[in-house]
Amino acid sequence: MKVVVIGASGQLGQDIVNAKPGLVKLVGLTHSDIEITDKDSVFSVLTSLEPDVIINTAAFHKTDLCEDEPEKAFFINAVGVKNLVEVCKSMDSILVHISTDYVFDGAKITEKEPYTEEDLPNPINIYGISKYAGELIVKNYLDKYYIVRVASLYGKAGASGKGGNFVYTILKKAKAGEPLRVVDDIFMSPTYTLDAAREIWKLILEERPFGTYHVTNLGYCSWYEFAKKILEYAGVDASIEPVKHTEFKTKAKRPLWSPLKSVKGIELRPWEEALKEFIGGVSTQLWKL
Ligand SMILES: NC(=O)c1ccc[n+]([C@@H]2O[C@H](COP(=O)([O-])OP(=O)(O)OC[C@H]3O[C@@H](n4cnc5c(N)ncnc54)[C@H](OP(=O)(O)O)[C@@H]3O)[C@@H](O)[C@H]2O)c1
């Protein structure tokens, strides 16, 4: 089986490459290899490779910037996805498209139940709306697809290969002695990219039915609880102040509740267990940050 990963140098992309099963022939494409918003680039690069499966991790996901640059958000997160859908159709390839918990509005906070694949999206910011547009394009134009919704990712590479994710940010700030103030009224499912990557490979290799899947570590917490666990597992003694989201003015509205779970048989380990392993594995690197 030949698989192409788009966004191979990104946070999730790198772990998809790292978790590659032995029998798979993999080609990793970085942004300098392919521009998904450019149909000519998409067709010339991908038709020359003729993959059985294309995994798309590329996105414009800086939530606040998306509010200022909606054209760019829709260009990458929806038009780019349409280009990939078309090339998949032309080669009869499977598309695995990565989406987000931000397709939901957070209204399920009243039930305190995670969103499942059966819940109807209703995104409340440009990032989420553009990602949902991408999902609809995949779902309504293609038969052979997996839409994989992930959430609150952290991995060794950090987002955009620039070392950024919440775990690194908290530890960097603690190390610099900066005050830590973290919201305790926004809830989500923190997810280790290596765990998500392994599950994505399982979906493909086990030939699970096509459709939409929630792939996050089990459970949920507030960003404050997440930060507390990060410090605990890293053995760092620093105090954190819990604050309300209204104390931070942000361009984009965010869902206050976006935990995900699967009712389609996807079961990853609890988020605490994954976080502990991640911090143990990168601890020496962390202190060089
Ligand atoms: N990070 C999170 O917490 C989170 C949460 C929920 C869902 N997601 C979704 O998960 C996916 C992966 O996220 P991530 O954290 O791994 O992101 P990432 O580290 O930013 O990786 C994305 C990769 O895609 C490349 N890329 C961006 N625009 C492209 C384009 N137009 N054409 C080709 N390549 C392009 C980027 O290259 P350059 O950096 O060189 O541009 C980067 O290597 C995204 O679909 C995102 O929407 C992420």
Side-chain angles (χ1 to χ4, degrees):
M1 179 189 280
K2 188 171 184 182
V3 179
V4 164
V5 178
I6 298 174
S9 61
Q11 181 167 233
L12 178 61
Q14 283 195 27
D15 272 342
I16 292 175
V17 172
N18 292 336
K20 178 192 90 73
L23 290 174
V24 170
K25 192 162 176 250
L26 184 139
V27 180
L29 299 176
T30 66
H31 204 167
S32 56
D33 299 316
I34 187 166
E35 173 51 64
I36 64 165
T37 59
D38 175 355
K39 201 168 174 181
D40 291 340
S41 164
V42 165
F43 269 78
S44 70
V45 173
L46 293 170
T47 53
S48 70
L49 293 167
E50 280 194 78
D52 303 295
V53 180
I54 295 173
I55 305 176
N56 177 40
T57 73
F60 181 41
H61 59 77
K62 293 193 170 76
T63 309
D64 291 317
L65 265 185
C66 285
E67 296 297 313
D68 288 332
E69 301 180 61
E71 297 87 352
K72 183 175 170 186
F74 277 91
F75 206 32
I76 297 174
N77 298 339
V79 177
V81 177
K82 173 73 161 48
N83 292 335
L84 297 174
V85 161
E86 286 186 15
V87 83
C88 282
K89 261 191 171 169
S90 77
M91 299 183 299
D92 197 30
S93 308
I94 295 168
L95 180 63
V96 180
H97 177 62
I98 309 301
S99 193
T100 172
D101 54 330
Y102 272 24
V103 297
F104 294 111
D105 58 14
K108 225 176 164 180
I109 194 164
T110 52
E111 294 168 45
K112 294 264 182 298
E113 276 299 321
Y115 284 98
T116 75
E117 294 94 343
E118 289 165 358
D119 286 306
L120 194 64
N122 181 37
I124 56 170
N125 55 46
I126 294 294
Y127 168 61
I129 294 169
S130 64
K131 289 291 287 187
Y132 187 42
E135 284 194 11
L136 291 174
I137 291 166
V138 173
K139 195 173 132 183
N140 293 330
Y141 282 79
L142 210 55
D143 296 324
K144 293 164 68 175
Y145 71 87
Y146 296 102
I147 291 169
V148 174
R149 294 193 188 123
V150 297
S152 308
L153 294 179
Y154 61 89
K156 203 169 168 186
S160 298
K162 296 180 189 80
N165 64 40
F166 186 75
V167 180
Y168 288 159
T169 302
I170 289 294
L171 290 171
K172 264 192 220 172
K173 284 194 166 193
K175 190 185 166 196
E178 287 176 36
L180 291 169
R181 302 174 75 239
V182 182
V183 290
D184 70 350
D185 58 352
I186 301 186
F187 299 85
M188 42 76 222
S189 300
T191 297
Y192 181 20
T193 47
L194 190 57
D195 284 6
R198 288 178 178 138
E199 201 61 42
I200 289 166
W201 282 115
K202 268 185 30 200
L203 277 178
I204 299 166
L205 295 185
E206 290 176 3
E207 297 182 11
R208 300 287 290 267
F210 294 122
T212 300
Y213 289 87
H214 287 183
V215 174
T216 57
N217 281 118
L218 184 67
Y220 61 85
C221 59
S222 70
W223 288 100
Y224 171 72
E225 290 168 292
F226 187 30
K228 294 251 297 181
K229 280 285 175 216
I230 292 166
L231 295 177
E232 180 190 324
Y233 293 153
V236 176
D237 187 19
S239 62
I240 320 179
E241 185 192 343
V243 291
K244 301 297 163 206
H245 73 277
T246 44
E247 291 195 33
F248 290 104
K249 282 264 168 297
T250 55
K251 274 258 158 103
K253 233 188 336 176
R254 286 167 167 75
L256 300 183
W257 178 265
S258 64
L260 300 184
K261 80 168 182 195
S262 176
V263 288
K264 291 171 135 184
I266 303 291
E267 274 189 27
L268 276 68
R269 59 185 160 167
W271 70 266
E272 296 95 327
E273 211 178 289
L275 178 66
K276 201 172 203 172
E277 184 185 294
F278 171 71
I279 290 182
V282 293
S283 58
T284 39
Q285 180 187 327
L286 287 174
W287 299 116
K288 288 191 218 133
L289 290 171

Coordinates of all heavy atoms in Angstrom, one line a residue, residues 10 140 153 183 220 233 253 286 288:
G10 N 4.7 18.7 9.9 CA 3.9 19.3 11.0 C 3.9 18.4 12.2 O 4.5 17.4 12.3
N140 N -19.4 15.1 0.9 CA -20.5 15.2 -0.1 C -19.9 15.0 -1.6 O -20.7 15.0 -2.5 CB -21.3 16.5 0.0 CG -22.1 16.5 1.3 OD1 -22.5 15.5 1.8 ND2 -22.3 17.7 1.9
L153 N -4.0 19.2 20.3 CA -2.9 18.3 20.0 C -1.6 18.8 20.7 O -1.3 20.0 20.8 CB -2.6 18.3 18.5 CG -3.7 17.6 17.6 CD1 -3.2 17.7 16.2 CD2 -3.9 16.2 18.0
V183 N -7.2 29.2 32.0 CA -8.6 29.2 32.1 C -9.1 27.9 32.7 O -8.6 26.8 32.2 CB -9.3 29.5 30.8 CG1 -9.2 30.9 30.3 CG2 -8.9 28.5 29.6
Y220 N -11.6 14.1 29.5 CA -11.5 15.6 29.2 C -11.1 16.3 30.5 O -11.1 15.7 31.6 CB -12.8 16.1 28.6 CG -14.0 15.9 29.5 CD1 -14.3 16.9 30.5 CD2 -14.8 14.8 29.5 CE1 -15.3 16.8 31.4 CE2 -15.9 14.7 30.3 CZ -16.1 15.7 31.3 OH -17.2 15.5 32.1
Y233 N 3.6 16.1 36.2 CA 4.3 15.0 35.5 C 5.8 15.4 35.2 O 6.7 14.6 35.1 CB 3.6 14.5 34.2 CG 2.3 13.9 34.5 CD1 1.3 13.9 33.5 CD2 2.0 13.2 35.7 CE1 0.0 13.3 33.8 CE2 0.8 12.6 35.9 CZ -0.2 12.6 35.0 OH -1.4 12.0 35.2
K253 N -14.2 33.7 19.0 CA -15.0 33.0 20.1 C -14.6 31.5 20.1 O -14.4 31.0 19.0 CB -16.5 33.1 19.7 CG -17.3 33.7 20.8 CD -18.8 33.7 20.6 CE -19.4 33.6 19.2 NZ -20.9 33.5 19.3
L286 N 12.8 19.0 26.8 CA 12.0 20.1 27.4 C 12.9 21.1 28.1 O 12.6 22.3 28.0 CB 11.0 19.5 28.4 CG 9.8 18.8 27.8 CD1 9.0 18.1 28.9 CD2 9.0 19.7 26.9
K288 N 15.7 22.1 27.5 CA 16.5 22.9 26.6 C 15.7 24.0 25.9 O 16.2 24.8 25.2 CB 17.2 22.0 25.5 CG 18.2 21.1 26.0 CD 19.0 20.5 24.8 CE 19.3 19.1 25.1 NZ 19.0 18.2 24.0

